[in-house]
């Protein structure tokens, strides 16, 4: 059997390779650079790597080939496994921007008094002498940077993958480092390790579903490639039952990653237990990457079979919004509340996903579902990274103080930080003049245009529920006084270094600008065009 | 001079004022932020007057500005005023400086700068609402008004204000999100018809299917019924006015709630004329229930601010009744009613606020005999109260009689029920006056002082307006009538010719 060297279009995929390269270089740095210099080297490596990849994404986007009738731009590269098209590059851009935010939060050292927020010695059992020693010696590890870069690379590969195997590999590449990162919190080690274990167990389980689904779809279509699967679906060859079960199982794997009900159970525990910097990075990045993969899989591979998956998404979207919103009401911990709110946002995003229509059904210049989902992801990413960055600032003697009672009256003591947090919450609630409103408008519109009015009605009701739990936090911060005797110790805002401040500032500025002049980003999302088939 | 975008200046000016007020350097106890805020509100008033001076009665939409805002959504930054918008804009710009003067020391124990800044922000967004001629822009500023309102209620006022603020916001945002559903629906309909656009003038050309029109109408109407408020969506009103400061209540009830009735005229009738007529029986019934129920519940209150809040429920019932009676008297009457109610209720709230500040309580049962100690306060309160109950010679009478005419014109029973609202109004106003102002002075009131100059400055202009427009409402009618006529023409209704008994025929009998 002849072995032919695969052709790799380096000119198209090099931003991806930069990220993976930096991740590998980070491992080498861990091995060879003296401990004293590692922090600086790793931080710079990660930040420069992300920035170079971001510039690369823009450069690649500038000279994409226009295909066919001009609705899609890009090419399918690397022997049909990676599609570098408009949407992919939009996803890459988003992921790299939020990856940069994540890297900046990872590098924050002022909040913990000169060390990072990650465990000094992750292998030490909580509560043992070894852990105490690691803590008193001020040990600090820097493997988190290569781990983050690997996760980022996996996230970038996920929405670009154009066959089921690449999709699965990307899923694992993005997940495994995140499982580890979740367990690395410096404080509350047990909670963090529990989070990592839960995430890993459930994640591995869902990967199993995904792989089984991939096998069944392969059995139906005889190919792993999305375009071949699409052909098979269109020609309706083979066993329809196998296809349906396959779609369902693939959906389980993806819906787990985005945290849709009934696969959302990991979200609150992991969001709460993971170091908050990781939570911020993961909340934005995983959601973007997984929605990218879901859009490509459903629109490209199963696009001709819309009627068999749209009803399923209807039900899941409604359930996700409802359960996420209702359970968020009873939370008393900021990180858990944000976790359930992220579940509700998954539901809103699914509302956009199920709003897909044929190009012929759309009026000239009408918002497409892809455009709507892309825009929503941008707005949500900025708000969620910013909100979690603010959570890292509110601390008491025991580290971050995420319980609601600690936040009482924060608006009096630190009006600026509380005001910015309130602004992020208002954006998530979808109040006009914030980015979240435009995003919400866009996804509701495409769903309604596609005739999914029951979902839109449910979404409007769930928005009302969502407003309640966001506004209640604002009430807590601004209108209620803190009484030390009844509510215990008071949390205060620790002054962060420029890294965290910059992340929060950019998040708030983007949320405001996208709320007032969303036009440019909406146009950019429209210009991304359709997926290359 | 005419190139100046007057309406943009009108709403941007108070917003700039809010920011300047919030960030002006201040020593504790300094009056500088309040002075800056007052200056900006007076400047806004001047701009409002300049706009009124250029307004050409009967010239349709004027001072229009149209720029593309979000092309992908067909959204324009489009402003314009007609008679309806102009009157409400003038009312708003006139009320805000008075509220700031009246509440001068109200927020001194908290943060006076914040109070003034939020009030100016509220004014800014409310003015943008009254000037918006693009549905999306309207929706954005409609919702944006809630944020300053939320902070005004939640930060300043009496114990329990946090809960009141939450209730207020939940009701308003709930209504707002229902409206969002309809706004999105408009986009879908407009996109199906060709190219998506949110301009009011484009949407009026749309040919809606009957069921789509009814659904969209329902979304708009529910939101406006929460805002206005109408029975049974009114329960936030009394809680809010009870807990908020009187100044905040003026901004909420006299300015912000007008958006509800303004929206009914501009959007429900303007965009969905057939559906509006289809829904008339239900809306008129709810309006009548609001009139009677609001007045009955007001009679039973022991809290002055709650009482005044509930009287507004009754008044908003009148306004809605006038709008949905579909006649030129009803339309003009309800527009006039919006302005007169704004002036009269503002006076009531502010004077009640003075009284509460002196007594330290808002419970009617603990206040008595104010007349002898503070005759000016009592007298002005009586005038404002008499205006509320529609005494001829005061401005509310004119609008009330117009609405009643239209109600009788609609159906005799509608008019008959609405008239009971006036009788009940006499009870709640006069009984309130009798219990609080007359009788022997309550112990501990010996040191009570009458209104000082600042307090008088804030309410005397309102009194003058009540009397002036009571005797001479023509300026307002001249502005509102062309708008109502063109609106009714759009709806496709013309006034029925009065049936005069034919004497010749009678003679033949």
């Amino acid at each position: 059997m002849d072995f032919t060297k695969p052709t790799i279009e380096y000119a198209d995929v090099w931003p991806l390779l930069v990220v993976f390269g930096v991740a590998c270089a980070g491992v080498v740095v861990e091995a060879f650079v003296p401990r004293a210099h590692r922090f600086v080297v790793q931080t710079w490596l990660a930040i420069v790597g992300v920035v170079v990849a971001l510039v690369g994404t823009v450069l690649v986007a500038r000279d994409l080939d226009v295909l066919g009738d001009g609705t899609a731009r890009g090419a399918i590269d690397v022997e049909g496994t990676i599609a570098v098209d408009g949407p992919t590059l939009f996803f890459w851009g988003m992921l790299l921007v939020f990856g940069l935010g994540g890297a900046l939060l990872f590098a924050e050292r002022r909040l913990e008094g000169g060390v990072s927020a990650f465990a000094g010695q992750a292998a030490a059992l909580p509560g043992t002498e070894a852990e105490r020693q690691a803590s008193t010696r001020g040990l600090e590890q820097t493997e988190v940077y290569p781990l983050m870069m690997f996760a980022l690379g996996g996230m970038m590969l996920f929405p670009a993958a154009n066959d089921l195997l690449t999709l699965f590999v990307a899923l694992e590449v993005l997940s495994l480092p995140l499982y580890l990162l979740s367990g690395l919190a410096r404080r509350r080690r047990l909670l963090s390790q529990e989070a990592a274990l839960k995430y890993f167990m459930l994640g591995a389980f869902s990967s199993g579903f995904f792989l089984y689904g991939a096998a069944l779809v392969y059995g139906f279509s005889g190919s792993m490639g999305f375009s071949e699967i699409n052909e098979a679906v269109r020609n309706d060859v083979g066993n329809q039952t196998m296809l349906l079960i396959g779609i369902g199982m693939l959906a389980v794997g993806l819906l787990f990653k985005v945290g849709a009900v009934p696969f959302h159970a990991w979200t609150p525990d992991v969001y709460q237990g993971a170091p908050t910097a990781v939570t911020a990075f993961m909340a934005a990045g995983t959601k973007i990457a997984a929605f990218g993969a879901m859009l490509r899989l459903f629109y490209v591979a199963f696009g001709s079979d819309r009627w068999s998956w749209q009803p399923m998404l209807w039900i899941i979207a409604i359930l996700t919004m409802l359960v996420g919103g209702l359970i968020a009401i009873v939370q008393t911990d900021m990180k858990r509340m944000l976790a359930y709110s992220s579940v509700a946002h998954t539901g809103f995003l699914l509302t956009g996903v199920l709003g897909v229509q044929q190009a012929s059904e759309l009026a000239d210049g009408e918002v497409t579902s892809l455009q709507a989902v892309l825009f929503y992801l941008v707005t949500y990413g900025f708000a969620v990274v910013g909100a979690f960055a603010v959570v890292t600032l509110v601390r008491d003697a025991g580290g971050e103080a995420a319980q609601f009672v600690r936040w009482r009256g924060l608006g009096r003591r630190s009006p600026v930080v509380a005001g910015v947090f309130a602004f992020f919450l208002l954006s998530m609630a979808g109040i006009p003049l914030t980015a979240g409103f435009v995003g919400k408008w866009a996804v509701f519109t495409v769903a309604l245009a596609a005739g999914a009015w029951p979902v839109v009605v449910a979404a409007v009701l769930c928005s009302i529920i969502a407003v309640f739990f966001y506004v209640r936090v604002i009430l807590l911060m601004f209108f209620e006084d803190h009484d030390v005797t009844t509510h215990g110790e008071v949390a205060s805002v620790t002054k962060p270094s420029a890294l965290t401040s910059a992340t929060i500032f950019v998040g708030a500025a983007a949320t405001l600008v996208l709320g007032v002049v969303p036009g440019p980003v909406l146009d950019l999302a429209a210009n991304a065009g359709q997926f290359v088939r | 001079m005419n190139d100046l975008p007057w309406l943009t200046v009108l709403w941007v000016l108070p917003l700039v004022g809010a920011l300047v007020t919030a960030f002006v350097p201040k020593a504790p106890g300094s009056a500088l932020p309040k002075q800056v805020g007052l200056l900006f509100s007076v400047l806004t008033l001047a701009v409002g007057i300049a706009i009124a001076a250029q307004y050409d009665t009967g010239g349709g939409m004027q001072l229009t500005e149209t720029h593309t805002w979000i092309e992908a959504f067909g959204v324009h930054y489009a402003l314009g005023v007609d008679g309806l918008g102009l009157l409400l804009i003038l009312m708003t710009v006139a009320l805000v400086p008075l509220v700031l003067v009246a509440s001068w020391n109200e927020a001194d124990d908290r943060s006076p700068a914040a109070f003034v800044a939020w009030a100016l922000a509220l004014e800014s967004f409310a003015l943008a609402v009254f000037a918006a001629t693009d549905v999306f822009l309207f929706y954005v500023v409609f919702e944006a008004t809630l944020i300053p309102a939320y902070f005004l209620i939640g930060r300043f006022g009496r114990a329990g204000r946090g809960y009141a603020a939450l209730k207020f916001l939940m009701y308003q945002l709930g209504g707002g999100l229902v409206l969002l559903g309809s706004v999105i629906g408009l986009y879908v309909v407009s996109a199906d018809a060709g190219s998506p656009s949110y301009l009011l003038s484009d949407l009026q050309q749309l040919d809606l299917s009957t069921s789509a029109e009814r659904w969209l109408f329902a979304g708009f109407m529910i939101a406006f019924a929460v805002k206005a408020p109408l029975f049974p969506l009114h329960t936030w009103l009394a809680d809010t006015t009870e807990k908020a400061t009187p100044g905040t209540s003026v901004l909420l009830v006299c300015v912000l709630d007008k958006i509800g009735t303004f929206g009914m005229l501009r959007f429900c009738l303007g965009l969905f004329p057939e559906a509006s007529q289809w829904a008339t029986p239900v809306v008129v019934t709810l309006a009548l229930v609001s009139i009677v129920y609001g007045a009955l519940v007001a009679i039973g209150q022991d809290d002055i601010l709650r009482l005044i809040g509930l009287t507004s429920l009754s008044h908003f019932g009148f306004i809605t009744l006038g709008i949905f009676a579909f006649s030129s008297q009803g339309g003009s009457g309800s527009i006039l009613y919006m302005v007169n109610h704004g002036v009269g209720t503002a006076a009531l709230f502010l004077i009640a606020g003075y009284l509460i500040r002196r007594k330290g309580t808002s419970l009617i049962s603990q206040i008595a005999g104010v007349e002898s100690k503070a005759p000016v306060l009592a007298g002005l309160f009586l005038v404002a109260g008499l205006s509320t109950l529609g005494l001829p010679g005061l401005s509310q009478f004119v609008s009330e009689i117009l609405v009643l005419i239209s109600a009788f014109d609609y159906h005799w029973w509608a008019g008959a029920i609405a008239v009971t609202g006036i009788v009940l109004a006499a009870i709640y106003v006069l009984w309130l006056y009798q219990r609080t102002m007359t009788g022997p002075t309550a112990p501990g009131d010996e040191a009570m002082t009458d209104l000082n100059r600042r307090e008088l400055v804030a309410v005397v202009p309102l009194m003058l307006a009540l009397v002036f427009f009571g005797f001479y409402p023509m300026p307002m009618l001249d502005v509102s009538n062309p708008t109502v006529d063109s609106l009714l023409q759009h709806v496709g209704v013309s006034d029925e010719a009065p049936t005069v008994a034919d004497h010749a025929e009678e003679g033949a009998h």
Side-chain angles (χ1 to χ4, degrees):
Chain A
M1 187 175 157
D2 282 337
F3 181 82
T4 40
K5 188 169 97 42
T7 44
I8 295 175
E9 288 79 354
Y10 291 102
D12 280 354
V13 298
W14 69 270
L16 189 60
L17 298 180
V18 166
V19 172
F20 279 124
V22 167
C24 296
V27 176
V28 176
V29 168
E30 279 302 308
F32 294 107
V33 174
R35 184 180 286 277
H37 303 302
R38 272 185 220 158
F39 174 77
V40 176
V41 174
Q42 290 282 24
T43 319
W44 278 108
L45 199 57
I47 292 175
V48 171
V50 172
V51 170
V52 168
L54 194 57
V55 172
T57 305
V58 175
L59 291 179
V60 173
R62 275 178 47 190
D63 43 39
L64 275 187
D65 305 328
V66 177
L67 293 179
D69 54 355
T71 55
R73 300 185 307 143
I76 294 177
D77 296 335
V78 197
E79 304 288 326
T81 56
I82 296 178
V84 179
D85 53 11
T88 296
L89 291 168
F90 197 96
F91 280 113
W92 285 6
M94 271 197 278
L95 287 166
L96 289 165
V97 167
F98 298 126
L100 188 62
L104 293 180
L105 292 180
F106 276 34
E108 174 66 56
R109 289 212 286 185
R110 189 187 284 186
L111 294 173
E112 284 283 358
V115 288
S116 70
F118 299 99
Q121 195 176 358
L125 281 178
T128 59
E129 186 57 31
E131 199 208 27
R132 247 189 306 284
Q133 272 191 7
S135 147
T136 46
R137 282 166 55 203
L139 278 186
E140 192 180 20
Q141 301 297 346
T142 47
E143 299 102 334
V144 288
Y145 296 96
L147 285 174
M148 191 202 87
M149 293 307 281
F150 274 120
L152 187 59
M155 288 172 184
M156 287 169 69
L157 185 57
F158 208 29
N162 200 42
D163 70 30
L164 291 173
L165 272 186
T166 316
L167 197 63
F168 179 71
V169 170
L171 174 69
E172 292 303 303
V173 172
L174 91 86
S175 302
L176 290 172
L178 286 181
Y179 300 148
L180 264 177
L181 285 171
S182 304
L184 292 181
R186 181 175 286 273
R187 315 255 188 166
R188 301 195 183 86
R189 299 274 314 127
L190 268 180
L191 207 61
S192 178
Q193 293 190 350
E194 181 193 328
L197 190 65
K198 265 188 187 159
Y199 196 15
F200 173 68
M201 297 298 287
L202 291 172
F205 200 48
S206 82
S207 294
F209 272 98
F210 185 89
L211 207 50
Y212 198 2
L216 288 176
V217 171
Y218 179 78
F220 166 80
S221 63
S223 170
M224 287 289 182
F226 285 179
S227 39
E228 288 81 6
I229 296 172
N230 182 38
E231 269 316 295
V233 171
R234 199 184 287 264
N235 299 330
D236 204 13
V237 297
N239 187 341
Q240 192 73 24
T241 321
M242 205 140 89
L243 173 69
L244 287 182
I245 298 178
I247 292 179
M249 289 196 161
L250 287 173
V252 169
L254 289 172
L255 290 172
F256 173 83
K257 277 290 151 204
V258 297
V261 174
F263 315 108
H264 67 289
W266 60 276
T267 325
D269 290 332
V270 175
Y271 277 34
Q272 186 188 18
T276 309
V278 174
T279 313
F281 169 66
M282 175 169 73
T286 313
K287 196 149 282 181
I288 291 168
F291 266 104
M294 189 188 294
L295 286 167
R296 187 179 296 278
L297 180 67
F298 281 130
Y299 286 12
V300 176
F302 304 129
S304 316
D305 202 21
R306 269 196 289 148
W307 297 113
S308 44
W309 55 263
Q310 258 175 338
M312 166 190 84
L313 280 190
W314 279 36
I315 295 168
I316 298 217
I318 293 174
L319 269 181
T320 306
M321 290 184 284
L322 207 58
V323 171
L326 286 177
I327 304 186
I329 291 179
V330 296
Q331 299 306 311
T332 55
D333 181 286
M334 206 56 81
K335 285 170 87 175
R336 282 185 91 81
M337 190 278 281
L338 286 173
Y340 277 109
S341 98
S342 105
V343 172
H345 280 284
T346 296
F348 294 132
L349 279 160
L350 287 173
T351 309
V353 173
L354 58 82
V356 61
Q357 280 180 298
Q358 297 289 354
S360 55
E361 293 166 338
L362 290 167
D364 189 32
E366 194 174 345
V367 182
T368 66
S369 66
L370 183 62
Q371 190 187 357
V373 174
L374 287 177
F375 188 81
Y376 197 106
L377 284 168
V378 175
T379 66
Y380 177 70
F382 278 117
V384 81
V385 170
F388 276 114
V390 174
V391 171
T392 64
L393 306 185
V394 180
R395 312 173 77 89
D396 57 18
E400 283 167 21
Q403 299 95 328
F404 277 2
V405 281
R406 299 270 186 280
W407 287 62
R408 286 176 79 98
L410 194 75
R412 299 275 166 65
R413 285 171 271 134
S414 314
V416 175
V417 171
V420 170
F421 191 68
F423 184 62
F424 286 131
L425 292 181
L426 289 177
S427 175
M428 290 191 208
I431 306 291
L433 298 180
T434 64
F437 166 69
V438 184
K440 204 167 241 180
W441 187 93
V443 293
F444 288 7
T445 302
V446 294
L448 195 63
W453 64 265
V455 185
V456 176
V457 169
V460 166
L461 290 178
C462 293
S463 302
I464 299 175
I465 298 174
V467 163
F468 176 76
F469 60 78
Y470 291 125
V471 170
R472 208 186 39 167
V473 173
I474 300 178
L475 181 85
L476 188 82
M477 291 193 297
F478 283 94
F479 304 156
E480 286 180 16
D481 295 306
H482 190 279
D483 182 3
V484 178
T485 48
T486 49
H487 306 122
E489 197 199 349
V490 45
S492 58
V493 169
T494 313
K495 198 170 158 33
S497 68
L499 300 168
T500 306
S501 309
T503 311
I504 297 174
F505 175 78
V506 170
T511 305
L512 179 65
V513 170
L514 289 178
V516 179
V517 270
V521 176
L522 274 169
D523 291 343
L524 197 65
N527 284 340
Q530 293 302 312
F531 289 114
V532 170
R533 284 162 197 279
Chain B
M1 211 32 198
N2 270 334
D3 296 341
L4 195 67
W6 282 101
L7 292 172
T8 303
V9 173
L10 179 73
W11 76 266
V12 168
L13 195 61
L15 195 61
V16 172
L19 292 174
V20 173
T21 311
F23 292 106
V24 75
K26 49 195 172 259
S30 150
L32 183 62
K34 292 189 278 194
Q35 288 159 349
V36 171
L38 185 62
L39 175 70
F40 271 95
S41 71
V42 171
L43 284 177
T44 313
L45 173 63
V47 175
I49 292 172
I51 288 173
Q54 310 173 30
Y55 184 79
D56 168 28
T57 317
M61 236 4 135
Q62 294 169 36
L63 297 171
T64 49
E65 301 167 32
T66 309
H67 306 284
T68 303
W69 179 17
I70 310 173
E71 204 173 357
F73 295 174
V75 172
H76 295 80
Y77 172 77
L79 301 177
V81 279
D82 58 1
L84 169 65
L86 181 70
L87 286 177
L88 289 172
I89 284 173
L90 287 177
M91 181 193 75
T92 308
V93 293
L95 281 180
V96 172
L98 299 179
V99 166
L100 291 184
V101 171
S103 318
W104 198 252
N105 300 321
E106 198 77 42
D108 277 359
D109 52 336
R110 293 236 166 222
S111 164
F115 181 82
V116 176
W118 285 123
L120 285 174
L122 185 64
E123 178 184 20
S124 160
F125 292 135
L127 289 172
V129 165
F130 294 135
T133 53
D134 178 287
V135 175
F136 191 92
L137 176 67
F138 166 80
Y139 181 78
V140 166
V141 279
F142 173 81
E143 294 278 275
T145 53
L146 300 179
I147 302 305
Y150 176 64
F151 280 93
L152 278 175
I153 302 167
R155 287 190 67 176
F156 312 95
R158 292 190 274 168
R161 57 182 183 272
Y163 168 76
L166 187 62
K167 186 168 178 180
F168 165 80
L169 197 64
M170 286 314 296
Y171 264 88
Q172 301 290 335
L173 280 177
L177 283 164
V178 175
L179 177 58
L180 177 65
S182 279
V183 171
I184 287 172
L186 273 179
Y187 174 86
V188 174
V189 177
S190 151
D192 282 349
S195 64
S197 166
Y198 266 127
L199 276 183
L200 210 51
S201 47
D202 288 347
L203 290 173
Q204 279 174 342
Q205 312 299 329
L206 281 181
D207 191 19
L208 298 166
S209 74
T210 309
S211 66
E213 185 179 342
R214 288 179 182 176
W215 280 110
L216 295 176
F217 167 82
F220 274 84
M221 193 63 206
I222 290 172
F224 295 144
V226 172
K227 195 79 174 185
L230 274 192
F231 180 87
L233 299 170
H234 65 281
T235 60
W236 60 271
L237 178 71
D239 285 338
T240 307
T241 54
E242 181 189 347
K243 303 298 181 199
T245 65
T248 306
S249 296
V250 172
L251 293 176
L252 290 184
V253 175
C254 301
V255 177
L256 211 50
D257 287 358
K258 295 297 172 353
I259 296 172
T261 43
F262 165 83
M264 289 178 203
L265 273 171
R266 170 76 42 95
F267 299 104
C268 289
L269 265 59
L271 292 179
F272 318 111
E274 278 95 39
S276 302
Q277 284 182 302
W278 163 75
T280 301
V282 178
V283 179
V284 166
T285 309
L286 288 179
L288 291 173
V289 173
S290 302
I291 291 174
V292 177
Y293 177 82
L296 281 176
V297 181
I299 292 174
Q301 296 305 312
D302 193 32
D303 186 298
I304 299 183
L305 294 176
R306 251 187 116 78
L307 189 150
I308 301 174
L310 285 163
T311 65
S312 295
L313 173 61
S314 182
H315 292 309
F316 278 108
F318 274 109
I319 300 176
T320 312
L321 180 65
I323 293 172
F324 279 83
F326 290 107
S327 67
S328 55
Q329 296 88 355
S332 293
S334 53
I335 294 179
L336 244 62
Y337 212 129
M338 288 188 217
V339 179
N340 293 332
H341 167 263
V343 176
T345 309
L348 267 185
F349 266 124
L350 294 181
I351 299 170
Y354 299 156
L355 177 63
I356 292 164
R357 211 169 163 76
R358 283 171 169 68
K359 291 290 298 180
T361 176
S362 62
L363 296 181
I364 297 170
S365 51
Q366 294 180 15
I367 305 176
V370 177
E371 216 173 36
S372 57
K373 278 289 170 191
V376 178
L377 189 155
L380 292 179
F381 192 71
L382 184 62
V383 175
L386 291 176
S387 165
T388 297
L389 66 80
L391 188 79
L394 294 171
S395 65
Q396 206 133 319
F397 168 74
V398 182
S399 39
E400 213 149 74
I401 204 79
L402 283 171
V403 170
L404 284 174
I405 290 172
S406 71
F408 275 111
D409 206 29
Y410 175 72
H411 211 284
W412 68 265
W413 53 260
I417 297 174
V419 165
T420 60
I422 296 192
V423 180
L424 294 171
I427 297 178
Y428 61 67
V429 168
L430 295 177
W431 197 34
L432 168 68
Y433 184 82
Q434 184 196 337
R435 282 182 293 172
T436 54
M437 301 296 175
T438 59
T441 311
D445 277 356
E446 289 74 19
M448 192 195 281
T449 52
D450 210 339
L451 297 186
N452 60 29
R453 195 174 302 160
R454 172 182 63 77
E455 291 170 323
L456 276 175
V457 165
V459 290
V460 164
L462 297 173
M463 294 296 156
L464 291 178
L466 286 180
V467 176
F468 177 77
F469 291 117
F471 283 101
Y472 187 59
M474 282 323 285
M476 287 207 280
L477 282 170
D478 284 344
V479 174
S480 68
N481 278 339
T483 305
V484 172
D485 290 343
S486 67
L487 192 62
L488 287 179
Q489 205 178 355
H490 176 70
V491 176
V493 189
S494 54
D495 288 335
E496 285 172 32
T499 41
V500 181
D502 196 332
H503 287 286
E505 209 169 302
E506 222 150 287
H509 277 288

